[in-house]
Structures are given as structure tokens and as C-alpha cells.
Amino acid sequence: MSMRYLPLLLVAACTTAPPPPSEHHESQVFDAAIHRDAVDRIVTAALASQGAWTALEGLVAAAPKRLAGSPGYDRAVEWAQEEMRRAGLVNVRLEPCMAPHWERGSVESLTVMGGDALAVCALGGSVGTAPEGIEAEVVEVRGRAELAALGERAKGRFVFFNEPMDPTLRDPFEAYGRAVWQRGFAANEAAKLGGVGAIVRSMSLRKDDFPHTGSMRYADGFEKVPAVAISTRAADALSARLAAGEPCVLRLELSCRSLPDAPSANVVGELMGRERPDEILVVGGHLDAWETGDGAHDDGAGCVQAIEAARLLLATGLRPRRTIRVVLYANEENGMAGAHAYAKTHAGELGRHVLALESDRGGFAPRGFDTDAQPEGMAVLGAMLALLEPIGAARLEVGGGGVDISTLAPAGVPLVGLVPEAARYFDVHHAASDTLAAVHPRELQMGAAAMAALLYMVAENEATFPRNEPKPAPR
Ligand SMILES: [Zn+2]
């Protein structure tokens, strides 16, 4: 534990017993203000550019569909290497892994017999149906209690999971976290009760016609039944029909399928530290995306922000003491193969990984960061983020940082995640509405600026950032 990192903020807050003003003590207090000019230069450079947006345009043009294992992902890998080199990164390389390979196929339809088609998409990993489809009645459950009480009524039917994200919660991510069990486990729960398939209300706070996909998994020992999401409006319409007691037989046709695992890769590039190049800060996002949309927010935004953060430091001549390593991860959406491969490939140097930063909550206006850093590190981050007050990105929350960097937690690497404005993220998350048009160039760029500033301060600071206690490995 470094005494240098006694945070200025805590000292300032201590009004009853101020520390004695000795020179020795002053030298031990971490003073983020020494970085004020550098942060200002980074923000100025960011505002004068639309680097992140231009890069995102390039990614979406080159590889709009880039789920793990697909040819689109390979195109994204090509794009990423070129973009890193263009940004001035060095040691640009691929780090291979094997990723799951699931294909949506061309047939996706859910219709009410004698009525309308519902806006539907298969959940990632779902089995398809036989070509003739599945026809069955449907039974609705709103939440776990209704599911537990369903009993025989599920037999031979579709089970319709219609618990909405809770709009009363302050944090949309918490609302997502509480509702998303339906997407992940609906197929298993339906199969356990003898159901023929699972229909899940989309994880969105918006009422529209976009179905939202996402990963699901099958448990051993149960039949694999198909699982789909329907749009929030379709879910409301189906629910109303059931409530009115109208006859409701549904017909589902899906041609999705799983293929053998496919070769994939993380894309890595570096900005070498000027004094301590073997001490590393990781910054990244995930290069794969669901192919319902273009993955512009999720997580094209995070990828281009990671590259842009490094580019801004090069453009401003602010090459920090330590190395900044940009990692664009493979297969976050349906397997975490890239995240596990990174931790394994770099196991020998994780002790010299100072911090890992991820952007994977969309390219909206930055509000701050979340972190799993322990109190000493938390205080240092708080002092640093005070310098981002002028751009509205000074908030510091307790959190996990991000899925891709979570595999570094067992080595005690402190994790940090960019926290953007969250109100509209789930409107587009994993849906066809996640396009370039949904991303605002200035908001995206300011996220990159906030990341660059934080990376610079941690990478430049003379004392090394406090490490965490090791944590259990993520699944
Ligand atoms: Zn994501």
C-alpha cells in the first residue's frame, strides 16, 4: 500500500484534526491537480476531433454483422488492426482463441394463428424448429412466483415470460440485471415443465417494435426447446389478447443453429510507456456484436473509444510513464472466449497489470466510472475524476468495470468501467435499432476523452495504483 496515495479529497474532508503541515506529509498526499493541464489538453484535443465517430463509421461499414465465429467478425478483426495502426499504436497483433459459432439463419417468424405476426428474434444460442415449425397454445407468467405456480398448465404450450424491466429502479442496469434471468433461463424453465418453447419480453424500457436478442444457455438434462424474444409492444399485445380470453395458438418457425467452435481472436495494440513500459494499463471493449443491429453502441462505441483514448494521448504528446494496451475482445456476447484467452495468454504479466478499463455501456454522454477498486484506490480515482467535473464525467460508483476485464480480477487487477448516461441504452441494446444513427458524435467523443484522461493520470502517476485483493474467477 503506497502512502503516496493518501487522497487529497479525504484530507480536505477532515475538518476536525488536520494533518500537521510538514513537507514530508505533503509529499505523501496524492494531488490530482498536477494533472489538470494534461486533462485540459486531452479534452481540448478531443473536442477538436471526431476521431471516435469516424472510426465507428468505418467499423460499421466494414463489419456491421460481427458475431463470434462469423465471416463478419473476421472483417472486424481486419478493420481493428488497420485502425490501431492508423491511430499510431504499435505491436498490433492478433491473440487467437476458439469461440462458439451460432447462426441466426433466414427464417424467424412467430404468428398468432388467424391473426398477426409478432416482432420476434431468436435468442442467441437457441435451437431452431423443424421446417414445419411448432404450433401450440401459450401461457403467460409475470415473474418467478407465477412461474413457480404454473405446474401442468405449461405442458405442451409455449411459456411467455412477460416480467418487464422495473421502471421504478434508479439504475436501468439494475432493472436489466433483475429481469434478464428470463432471457438466460427461459428455455430451461419452459422445458422443465414440459413446455414446447420460450417466448421472452424484450429487455427494454421502451415501447416499440424491435425485438432484442441476447445470450441464453441450455442446462444439461432437459430438452432443448427454442427461445425467442418479442418486442415490448408485441408482448403487451399478446398479454392483452390472453387477458381478454381470446383463443391464442402461436406458430413458431426458426432456422437458427449452432455450429462447431470457430477460430477467433482478440486484437491488441499498444502505446508504449516512456519510463515503465512493462507496467500495463488495459483499455478495451468487445469487437463482437449481435447481428440484429450494427452493434454501434454495443460495443462498437467501446472499441473505438479505447483506440481513440490512446490516439488522443499520442496526438497531445502526452505519452505516459506506463504502457497503455488496447484490447478489443472476441466473443463477449455469447461466451467470453476472448476475455478468458487474454487472462491465460498474459498470466505471467498480470502482476504488472496496473489497471483495466472497459467501455461497454454504450456511447452515450459520459457521467463517470464504476470500479471494484478497494478504498485506497477508490479514493485515488475520486480525486482524479474531480478533474472531469467540467465535462460532467466525475461520478464514481462501486461496480464491476466490465465483463471482458473481469477475468483479471483473480490477479488483483483493479477494474474500472466507463459509466455513460443510461436512460436510452436498453432502447437499442441487442436490437436492430443499435445503428450508427443512434450514436451522437460528441457524446461518443467525450467518453473517449474521459477515458484518455483517466488512463493518463493512472499511467503517468509516479506511484503505482493500489492493487486489489484477488477475487474468484468469473464463470
Ligand atoms: Zn456489450
Side-chain angles (χ1 to χ4, degrees), residues 15-32:
T15 52
T16 50
S22 73
E23 204 176 297
H24 175 68
H25 182 89
E26 287 302 311
S27 70
Q28 291 178 338
V29 172
F30 170 66
D31 182 0

PDB file of all heavy atoms in Angstrom, residues 15-32:
ATOM      1  N   THR A  15     -12.010  17.905   8.834  1.00  0.00           N
ATOM      2  CA  THR A  15     -12.014  19.277   9.351  1.00  0.00           C
ATOM      3  C   THR A  15     -11.630  19.347  10.821  1.00  0.00           C
ATOM      4  O   THR A  15     -11.187  20.375  11.294  1.00  0.00           O
ATOM      5  CB  THR A  15     -13.411  19.894   9.192  1.00  0.00           C
ATOM      6  OG1 THR A  15     -14.351  19.006   9.762  1.00  0.00           O
ATOM      7  CG2 THR A  15     -13.747  20.144   7.741  1.00  0.00           C
ATOM      8  N   THR A  16     -11.793  18.232  11.549  1.00  0.00           N
ATOM      9  CA  THR A  16     -11.552  18.310  12.992  1.00  0.00           C
ATOM     10  C   THR A  16     -10.076  18.162  13.338  1.00  0.00           C
ATOM     11  O   THR A  16      -9.580  18.831  14.230  1.00  0.00           O
ATOM     12  CB  THR A  16     -12.337  17.213  13.728  1.00  0.00           C
ATOM     13  OG1 THR A  16     -12.074  15.969  13.086  1.00  0.00           O
ATOM     14  CG2 THR A  16     -13.822  17.503  13.686  1.00  0.00           C
ATOM     15  N   ALA A  17      -9.376  17.298  12.654  1.00  0.00           N
ATOM     16  CA  ALA A  17      -7.971  17.081  13.009  1.00  0.00           C
ATOM     17  C   ALA A  17      -7.095  17.123  11.756  1.00  0.00           C
ATOM     18  O   ALA A  17      -6.701  16.081  11.239  1.00  0.00           O
ATOM     19  CB  ALA A  17      -7.811  15.749  13.720  1.00  0.00           C
ATOM     20  N   PRO A  18      -6.793  18.312  11.255  1.00  0.00           N
ATOM     21  CA  PRO A  18      -5.980  18.396  10.039  1.00  0.00           C
ATOM     22  C   PRO A  18      -4.575  17.870  10.292  1.00  0.00           C
ATOM     23  O   PRO A  18      -4.069  18.004  11.404  1.00  0.00           O
ATOM     24  CB  PRO A  18      -5.958  19.894   9.734  1.00  0.00           C
ATOM     25  CG  PRO A  18      -6.276  20.558  11.021  1.00  0.00           C
ATOM     26  CD  PRO A  18      -7.118  19.629  11.797  1.00  0.00           C
ATOM     27  N   PRO A  19      -4.000  17.220   9.286  1.00  0.00           N
ATOM     28  CA  PRO A  19      -2.653  16.683   9.483  1.00  0.00           C
ATOM     29  C   PRO A  19      -1.651  17.830   9.641  1.00  0.00           C
ATOM     30  O   PRO A  19      -1.869  18.904   9.098  1.00  0.00           O
ATOM     31  CB  PRO A  19      -2.401  15.911   8.197  1.00  0.00           C
ATOM     32  CG  PRO A  19      -3.302  16.527   7.186  1.00  0.00           C
ATOM     33  CD  PRO A  19      -4.487  17.038   7.929  1.00  0.00           C
ATOM     34  N   PRO A  20      -0.570  17.601  10.382  1.00  0.00           N
ATOM     35  CA  PRO A  20       0.428  18.663  10.519  1.00  0.00           C
ATOM     36  C   PRO A  20       1.040  19.005   9.158  1.00  0.00           C
ATOM     37  O   PRO A  20       1.328  18.093   8.378  1.00  0.00           O
ATOM     38  CB  PRO A  20       1.470  18.042  11.465  1.00  0.00           C
ATOM     39  CG  PRO A  20       1.247  16.572  11.398  1.00  0.00           C
ATOM     40  CD  PRO A  20      -0.204  16.372  11.065  1.00  0.00           C
ATOM     41  N   PRO A  21       1.213  20.266   8.844  1.00  0.00           N
ATOM     42  CA  PRO A  21       1.685  20.663   7.514  1.00  0.00           C
ATOM     43  C   PRO A  21       3.192  20.491   7.375  1.00  0.00           C
ATOM     44  O   PRO A  21       3.923  21.467   7.277  1.00  0.00           O
ATOM     45  CB  PRO A  21       1.277  22.130   7.429  1.00  0.00           C
ATOM     46  CG  PRO A  21       1.266  22.605   8.842  1.00  0.00           C
ATOM     47  CD  PRO A  21       0.947  21.430   9.701  1.00  0.00           C
ATOM     48  N   SER A  22       3.653  19.247   7.409  1.00  0.00           N
ATOM     49  CA  SER A  22       5.090  19.028   7.207  1.00  0.00           C
ATOM     50  C   SER A  22       5.345  18.739   5.733  1.00  0.00           C
ATOM     51  O   SER A  22       4.489  18.241   5.019  1.00  0.00           O
ATOM     52  CB  SER A  22       5.555  17.839   8.048  1.00  0.00           C
ATOM     53  OG  SER A  22       5.066  16.647   7.467  1.00  0.00           O
ATOM     54  N   GLU A  23       6.545  19.026   5.321  1.00  0.00           N
ATOM     55  CA  GLU A  23       6.916  18.785   3.923  1.00  0.00           C
ATOM     56  C   GLU A  23       6.813  17.289   3.613  1.00  0.00           C
ATOM     57  O   GLU A  23       6.346  16.878   2.571  1.00  0.00           O
ATOM     58  CB  GLU A  23       8.355  19.249   3.711  1.00  0.00           C
ATOM     59  CG  GLU A  23       8.647  19.592   2.259  1.00  0.00           C
ATOM     60  CD  GLU A  23      10.049  20.127   2.139  1.00  0.00           C
ATOM     61  OE1 GLU A  23      10.318  21.192   2.728  1.00  0.00           O
ATOM     62  OE2 GLU A  23      10.849  19.468   1.482  1.00  0.00           O
ATOM     63  N   HIS A  24       7.222  16.489   4.618  1.00  0.00           N
ATOM     64  CA  HIS A  24       7.199  15.041   4.465  1.00  0.00           C
ATOM     65  C   HIS A  24       5.773  14.561   4.168  1.00  0.00           C
ATOM     66  O   HIS A  24       5.536  13.822   3.220  1.00  0.00           O
ATOM     67  CB  HIS A  24       7.718  14.398   5.751  1.00  0.00           C
ATOM     68  CG  HIS A  24       7.627  12.905   5.722  1.00  0.00           C
ATOM     69  ND1 HIS A  24       8.402  12.130   4.889  1.00  0.00           N
ATOM     70  CD2 HIS A  24       6.838  12.045   6.405  1.00  0.00           C
ATOM     71  CE1 HIS A  24       8.100  10.860   5.061  1.00  0.00           C
ATOM     72  NE2 HIS A  24       7.153  10.778   5.972  1.00  0.00           N
ATOM     73  N   HIS A  25       4.824  15.077   4.965  1.00  0.00           N
ATOM     74  CA  HIS A  25       3.443  14.656   4.769  1.00  0.00           C
ATOM     75  C   HIS A  25       2.932  15.100   3.396  1.00  0.00           C
ATOM     76  O   HIS A  25       2.330  14.317   2.672  1.00  0.00           O
ATOM     77  CB  HIS A  25       2.545  15.225   5.864  1.00  0.00           C
ATOM     78  CG  HIS A  25       1.127  14.769   5.725  1.00  0.00           C
ATOM     79  ND1 HIS A  25       0.672  13.613   6.301  1.00  0.00           N
ATOM     80  CD2 HIS A  25       0.095  15.274   5.014  1.00  0.00           C
ATOM     81  CE1 HIS A  25      -0.589  13.435   5.972  1.00  0.00           C
ATOM     82  NE2 HIS A  25      -0.966  14.430   5.197  1.00  0.00           N
ATOM     83  N   GLU A  26       3.195  16.339   3.039  1.00  0.00           N
ATOM     84  CA  GLU A  26       2.706  16.867   1.760  1.00  0.00           C
ATOM     85  C   GLU A  26       3.147  15.960   0.603  1.00  0.00           C
ATOM     86  O   GLU A  26       2.383  15.704  -0.311  1.00  0.00           O
ATOM     87  CB  GLU A  26       3.235  18.290   1.525  1.00  0.00           C
ATOM     88  CG  GLU A  26       2.588  19.356   2.409  1.00  0.00           C
ATOM     89  CD  GLU A  26       1.090  19.417   2.235  1.00  0.00           C
ATOM     90  OE1 GLU A  26       0.633  19.464   1.090  1.00  0.00           O
ATOM     91  OE2 GLU A  26       0.367  19.397   3.251  1.00  0.00           O
ATOM     92  N   SER A  27       4.386  15.480   0.671  1.00  0.00           N
ATOM     93  CA  SER A  27       4.910  14.687  -0.436  1.00  0.00           C
ATOM     94  C   SER A  27       4.177  13.345  -0.533  1.00  0.00           C
ATOM     95  O   SER A  27       4.234  12.694  -1.558  1.00  0.00           O
ATOM     96  CB  SER A  27       6.409  14.448  -0.266  1.00  0.00           C
ATOM     97  OG  SER A  27       6.605  13.569   0.824  1.00  0.00           O
ATOM     98  N   GLN A  28       3.503  12.946   0.563  1.00  0.00           N
ATOM     99  CA  GLN A  28       2.827  11.657   0.531  1.00  0.00           C
ATOM    100  C   GLN A  28       1.368  11.778   0.075  1.00  0.00           C
ATOM    101  O   GLN A  28       0.717  10.785  -0.189  1.00  0.00           O
ATOM    102  CB  GLN A  28       2.854  11.032   1.924  1.00  0.00           C
ATOM    103  CG  GLN A  28       4.269  10.621   2.320  1.00  0.00           C
ATOM    104  CD  GLN A  28       4.300  10.049   3.713  1.00  0.00           C
ATOM    105  OE1 GLN A  28       3.396  10.317   4.513  1.00  0.00           O
ATOM    106  NE2 GLN A  28       5.313   9.277   4.019  1.00  0.00           N
ATOM    107  N   VAL A  29       0.859  12.975   0.010  1.00  0.00           N
ATOM    108  CA  VAL A  29      -0.544  13.150  -0.363  1.00  0.00           C
ATOM    109  C   VAL A  29      -0.673  13.142  -1.882  1.00  0.00           C
ATOM    110  O   VAL A  29       0.059  13.832  -2.569  1.00  0.00           O
ATOM    111  CB  VAL A  29      -1.077  14.475   0.214  1.00  0.00           C
ATOM    112  CG1 VAL A  29      -2.461  14.767  -0.335  1.00  0.00           C
ATOM    113  CG2 VAL A  29      -1.112  14.410   1.731  1.00  0.00           C
ATOM    114  N   PHE A  30      -1.603  12.341  -2.368  1.00  0.00           N
ATOM    115  CA  PHE A  30      -1.806  12.308  -3.814  1.00  0.00           C
ATOM    116  C   PHE A  30      -2.563  13.552  -4.257  1.00  0.00           C
ATOM    117  O   PHE A  30      -3.651  13.838  -3.759  1.00  0.00           O
ATOM    118  CB  PHE A  30      -2.594  11.056  -4.213  1.00  0.00           C
ATOM    119  CG  PHE A  30      -3.029  11.111  -5.642  1.00  0.00           C
ATOM    120  CD1 PHE A  30      -2.088  11.078  -6.647  1.00  0.00           C
ATOM    121  CD2 PHE A  30      -4.356  11.266  -5.975  1.00  0.00           C
ATOM    122  CE1 PHE A  30      -2.470  11.170  -7.960  1.00  0.00           C
ATOM    123  CE2 PHE A  30      -4.750  11.359  -7.284  1.00  0.00           C
ATOM    124  CZ  PHE A  30      -3.807  11.303  -8.290  1.00  0.00           C
ATOM    125  N   ASP A  31      -1.977  14.262  -5.167  1.00  0.00           N
ATOM    126  CA  ASP A  31      -2.558  15.530  -5.599  1.00  0.00           C
ATOM    127  C   ASP A  31      -2.889  15.437  -7.085  1.00  0.00           C
ATOM    128  O   ASP A  31      -2.026  15.592  -7.950  1.00  0.00           O
ATOM    129  CB  ASP A  31      -1.544  16.645  -5.344  1.00  0.00           C
ATOM    130  CG  ASP A  31      -2.108  18.000  -5.730  1.00  0.00           C
ATOM    131  OD1 ASP A  31      -3.272  18.052  -6.181  1.00  0.00           O
ATOM    132  OD2 ASP A  31      -1.385  18.994  -5.587  1.00  0.00           O
ATOM    133  N   ALA A  32      -4.158  15.172  -7.378  1.00  0.00           N
ATOM    134  CA  ALA A  32      -4.559  15.021  -8.778  1.00  0.00           C
ATOM    135  C   ALA A  32      -4.415  16.317  -9.557  1.00  0.00           C
ATOM    136  O   ALA A  32      -4.354  16.306 -10.789  1.00  0.00           O
ATOM    137  CB  ALA A  32      -6.006  14.529  -8.847  1.00  0.00           C
TER     138      ALA A  32
END
